[in-house]
């Protein structure tokens, strides 16, 4: 019997003080929840939300509008305990993407007007790692990407998040308004610095004086964000209905939540520390820890599990070989690369991660985690692996992970089941698989030469290259489970 705790939301409308770009599941289960809890506790109604989708899911925006922005978050500690939280802090839901008629920007004017209002002091983002249009390895703006090229040519009707930020800041600058703070909430290393890079590089192409003003006046604090929020499935919607919540805009997530933010908000911010937000001077240790340990483990499960047609994170960690691999990766490959503040217990953090992955109420599909590998793996595996190799350590688990990822990009599992490949570099990968076919040696070399993904120095470690090749052949020869059992024989 599931024990349900219901938390209602107050009716009073809030003033919109924060605009969010990327009205996805994570935003609704993380930033919006912290703002709702802050509002409930403090009574401060100045931090209502206007949230916009720039790309997908017009239907969600319509549903939220029909519900006056109200929706529910089901926070599961496990399948026996759930907190059903009503969210009322979302005051405005907008869509600026391309609609079914092929029209872009239906709410663009409304969004830019909202971002130009003096009450708005923070603009946050969850637009996925690829939504910043930066080269994942070098961090440079992808100025030849068609979407960025569009925004360079049509700066007043932007399609991208960087384009939108530049246009909104240009209007505030022209109107003599103070800037707003830009807060990235995506899983990227130095996410604030990278967002600053994307915005100032794009602004410089438009007007160097504007770029200077942005560099001087706009802050881009970094943040570490953490809460597992799987994409909703029909089974999740039905489960909520059984709990008395009929809400097509609802989200399901784990009970755990963390938000560590660099405290750099000259225009002000909510005093949300009592609601669980950690304000710090330096986010980098927390960010790197989470990206390498949690997200690095997720990606290991995603590619190795998907090759065996395993569906969810929960299904994968129930297999002892996978949990053994994660323990080895966490304790001997990821943790040794981290420099944490005094008193941080990485062993306890690792064990807590395994417990979170074993949450039986979350159907977190491996295919969702496997998405956008080219954008995710540099910060999850590759920078840490290089550091480890430079200090003479071995990276057996990472080498196996890279081999599994390369095989995953062929678009099928080891049993011939096809899967969609959702990645900005999907065509590049398809061409490499066509060119190199079953020649594991040249295929692996070709992938490791992709400088948009792999640091060039990694391929100079012949032991790493050999280990990836050996693992790739072993996956083909004997499958995932046997390869996991045989990992020590594969590694030189
Ligand atoms: P989602 O699929 O529910 O939403 C993705 C959002 O990104 C949508 O609003 C979509 O319109 C937008 N988007 C995608 N590509 C874009 C682009 N090129 N330009 C502008 N907008 C774009 O995914 P979800 O779960 O909300 O995750 C989004 C991001 O949040 C992740 O990529 C990650 O960086 C971060 N995150 C997610 C967590 C999770 O467990 N779901 C946890 C921690 C961080
Ligand atoms: C996941 C993350 O889809 C993915 O890539 O690894 O979204 C993960 O669930 C979160 O970062 C957890 O905070």
């Amino acid at each position: 019997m599931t024990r349900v705790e219901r938390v209602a939301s107050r009716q009073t409308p809030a003033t919109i003080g924060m605009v969010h770009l990327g009205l996805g599941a994570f935003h609704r289960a993380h930033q919006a929840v912290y703002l709702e809890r802050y509002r409930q506790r403090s009574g401060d109604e100045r931090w209502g939300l206007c949230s916009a989708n720039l790309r997908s899911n017009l239907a969600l925006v319509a549903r939220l509008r029909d519900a006056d922005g109200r929706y529910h978050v089901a926070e599961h500690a496990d399948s026996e305990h759930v907190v059903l939280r009503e969210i009322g802090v979302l005051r405005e839901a907008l869509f600026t993407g391309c609609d079914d008629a092929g029209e872009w920007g239906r709410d663009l004017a409304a969004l830019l007007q909202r971002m130009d209002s003096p009450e708005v002091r923070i603009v946050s983002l969850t637009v996925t790692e690829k939504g910043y249009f930066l080269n994942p390895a070098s961090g440079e703006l992808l100025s030849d990407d068609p979407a960025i090229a569009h925004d360079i040519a049509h700066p007043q009707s932007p399609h991208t998040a960087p384009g939108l930020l530049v246009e909104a800041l240009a209007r505030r600058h022209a109107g003599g308004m103070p800037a707003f703070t830009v807060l990235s909430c995506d899983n990227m290393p130095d996410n604030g610095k990278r967002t600053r890079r994307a915005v100032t590089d794009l602004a410089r192409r438009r007007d160097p004086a504007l770029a200077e003003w942005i560099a001087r006046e706009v802050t881009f604090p970094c943040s570490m964000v953490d809460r597992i929020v799987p994409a909703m499935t029909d089974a999740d919607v039905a489960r909520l209905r059984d709990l008395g919540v009929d809400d097509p805009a609802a989200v399901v997530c784990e009970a755990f939540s963390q938000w560590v933010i660099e405290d750099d908000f000259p225009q002000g911010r909510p005093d949300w520390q009592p609601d669980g937000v950690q304000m710090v001077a330096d986010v980098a240790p927390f960010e790197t820890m989470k990206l390498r340990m949690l997200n690095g483990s997720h990606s290991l499960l995603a590619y190795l599990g998907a090759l065996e047609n395993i569906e969810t994170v929960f299904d994968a960690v129930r297999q002892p070989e996978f949990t053994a691999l994660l323990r080895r990766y966490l304790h001997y490959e990821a943790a040794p690369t981290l420099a944490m503040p005094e008193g941080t217990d990485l062993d306890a953090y690792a064990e807590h991660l395994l417990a979170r992955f074993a949450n039986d109420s979350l159907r977190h599909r491996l295919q969702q985690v496997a998405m956008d590998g080219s954008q995710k793996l540099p910060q999850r595996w590759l920078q840490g692996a290089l550091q480890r190799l430079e200090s003479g350590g071995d990276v057996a688990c990472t080498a196996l992970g890279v081999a599994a990822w390369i095989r995953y990009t062929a678009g099928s599992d080891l049993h011939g089941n096809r899967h969609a490949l959702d990645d900005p570099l999907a065509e590049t990968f398809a061409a490499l698989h066509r060119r190199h076919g079953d020649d594991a040696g040249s295929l692996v070399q070709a992938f490791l030469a992709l400088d948009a993904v792999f640091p060039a120095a990694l391929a100079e470690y012949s032991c790493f290259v050999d280990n990836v090749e050996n693992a790739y052949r072993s996956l083909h020869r004997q499958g995932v489970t046997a390869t996991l059992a045989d990992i020590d024989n594969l590694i030189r």
Side-chain angles (χ1 to χ4, degrees):
M1 178 66 181
T2 304
R3 240 188 50 227
V4 182
E5 180 195 338
R6 296 174 196 277
V7 182
S9 173
R10 65 170 76 224
Q11 292 308 316
T12 48
T15 308
I16 294 176
M18 193 158 153
V19 166
H20 183 85
L21 309 180
L23 220 179
F26 179 60
H27 167 57
R28 281 174 280 147
H30 188 268
Q31 299 93 48
V33 170
Y34 282 104
L35 283 171
E36 179 68 28
R37 293 172 68 145
Y38 167 74
R39 171 174 177 249
Q40 296 276 14
R41 175 186 57 78
S42 68
D44 180 356
E45 294 289 2
R46 296 169 303 156
W47 293 99
L49 267 173
C50 161
S51 301
N53 260 340
L54 317 187
R55 272 290 157 116
S56 55
N57 222 339
L58 170 57
L60 171 72
V61 170
R63 279 190 215 123
L64 284 165
R65 279 207 186 138
D66 293 347
D68 284 335
R70 289 181 171 269
Y71 66 93
H72 294 81
V73 178
E75 304 169 350
H76 281 271
D78 54 36
S79 55
E80 306 292 305
H81 305 87
V82 60
V83 173
L84 278 177
R85 189 182 302 279
E86 184 189 22
I87 305 296
V89 76
L90 178 60
R91 293 302 325 291
E92 200 171 28
L94 301 175
F95 182 79
T96 68
C98 185
D99 64 20
D100 306 343
E103 296 299 316
W104 274 91
R106 69 168 53 194
D107 297 328
L108 180 61
L111 180 59
L112 286 168
Q113 193 181 358
R114 178 61 66 192
M115 293 169 84
D116 205 19
S117 69
E119 293 83 23
V120 168
R121 292 177 278 163
I122 301 176
V123 175
S124 54
L125 306 95
T126 53
V127 291
T128 79
E129 293 82 346
K130 61 183 177 298
Y132 297 79
F133 296 89
L134 297 168
N135 175 312
S138 68
E140 279 163 48
L141 183 72
L142 299 171
S143 52
D144 52 8
D145 183 286
I148 290 289
H150 168 276
D151 287 7
I152 291 171
H154 310 281
Q156 273 88 29
S157 49
H159 289 180
T160 70
L164 202 68
L165 290 167
V166 170
E167 174 57 13
L169 289 165
R171 290 179 181 214
R172 288 179 84 110
H173 179 40
M177 291 262 292
F180 45 65
T181 296
V182 178
L183 178 61
S184 171
C185 297
D186 276 297
N187 282 330
M188 287 191 307
D190 299 327
N191 52 10
K193 296 190 179 78
R194 285 182 174 238
T195 311
R196 171 189 285 279
R197 177 84 184 267
V199 170
T200 46
D201 282 10
L202 188 58
R204 199 166 295 113
R205 290 159 188 276
R206 173 177 171 162
D207 168 7
L210 172 63
E212 271 161 39
W213 181 79
I214 291 174
R216 206 177 46 248
E217 298 297 330
V218 183
T219 59
F220 297 81
C222 291
S223 79
M224 183 269 250
V225 292
D226 190 4
R227 181 171 238 184
I228 297 173
V229 188
M232 284 294 278
T233 64
D234 295 344
D236 293 322
V237 173
R239 206 162 29 134
L240 282 179
R241 208 172 284 128
D242 296 345
L243 294 174
V245 172
D246 189 359
D247 177 358
V251 281
V252 168
C253 60
E254 62 176 338
F256 177 88
S257 188
Q258 191 173 16
W259 199 4
V260 184
I261 311 179
E262 183 187 348
D263 202 355
D264 190 7
F265 295 79
Q267 281 80 25
R269 61 164 175 78
D271 294 327
W272 42 25
Q273 291 95 310
D275 310 295
V277 180
Q278 296 161 259
M279 302 306 297
V280 300
D282 181 12
V283 173
F286 301 93
E287 223 177 29
T288 314
M289 172 187 77
K290 190 251 172 176
L291 286 168
R292 291 184 186 172
M293 294 186 76
L294 187 155
N295 297 111
S297 299
H298 257 179
S299 293
L300 276 174
L301 293 175
Y303 301 117
L304 287 159
L307 290 182
E308 285 297 357
N309 201 17
I310 295 173
E311 199 189 348
T312 70
V313 169
F314 174 66
D315 298 332
V317 290
R318 279 199 300 179
Q319 307 205 12
E321 299 84 4
F322 281 88
T323 305
L325 174 79
L326 291 190
R327 276 210 170 85
R328 178 174 176 156
Y329 167 75
L330 288 164
H331 292 288
Y332 301 107
E333 289 186 28
T337 68
L338 302 171
M340 300 306 295
E342 190 73 29
T344 307
D345 183 342
L346 290 175
D347 291 342
Y349 183 74
E351 289 310 311
H352 186 227
L353 289 179
L354 296 174
R356 290 171 60 193
F357 296 157
N359 185 332
D360 62 352
S361 67
L362 299 183
R363 299 195 56 69
H364 198 187
R365 295 175 49 254
L366 295 178
Q367 293 291 353
Q368 178 183 0
V369 180
M371 191 174 85
D372 294 342
S374 66
Q375 313 295 303
K376 294 177 178 179
L377 299 183
Q379 59 266 22
R380 293 182 183 207
W381 293 344
L382 307 176
Q383 283 144 14
L386 188 55
Q387 214 181 307
R388 194 92 183 101
L389 288 166
E390 282 162 354
S391 62
D394 93 71
V395 290
C397 306
T398 307
L400 176 54
V402 170
W405 173 64
I406 294 173
R407 181 58 185 77
Y408 176 86
T409 62
S412 63
D413 67 17
L414 294 172
H415 308 284
N417 304 306
R418 307 253 359 129
H419 53 244
L421 192 60
D422 198 340
D423 193 299
L425 298 186
E427 278 166 31
T428 305
F429 302 151
L432 291 180
H433 281 284
R434 277 195 302 276
R435 195 172 317 134
H436 299 281
D438 294 336
D439 179 344
S442 67
L443 181 70
V444 166
Q445 305 250 353
F447 264 82
L448 295 188
L450 288 171
D451 59 8
V453 181
F454 290 90
L458 210 47
E460 284 156 23
Y461 285 88
S462 57
C463 60
F464 181 73
V465 180
D466 294 350
N467 293 344
V468 176
E469 267 180 53
N470 293 343
Y472 190 90
R473 291 196 181 91
S474 173
L475 288 169
H476 264 275
R477 195 175 57 249
Q478 54 180 342
V480 171
T481 311
T483 299
L484 288 175
D486 197 24
I487 191 169
D488 288 316
N489 298 327
L490 294 172
I491 299 306
R492 78 165 179 88

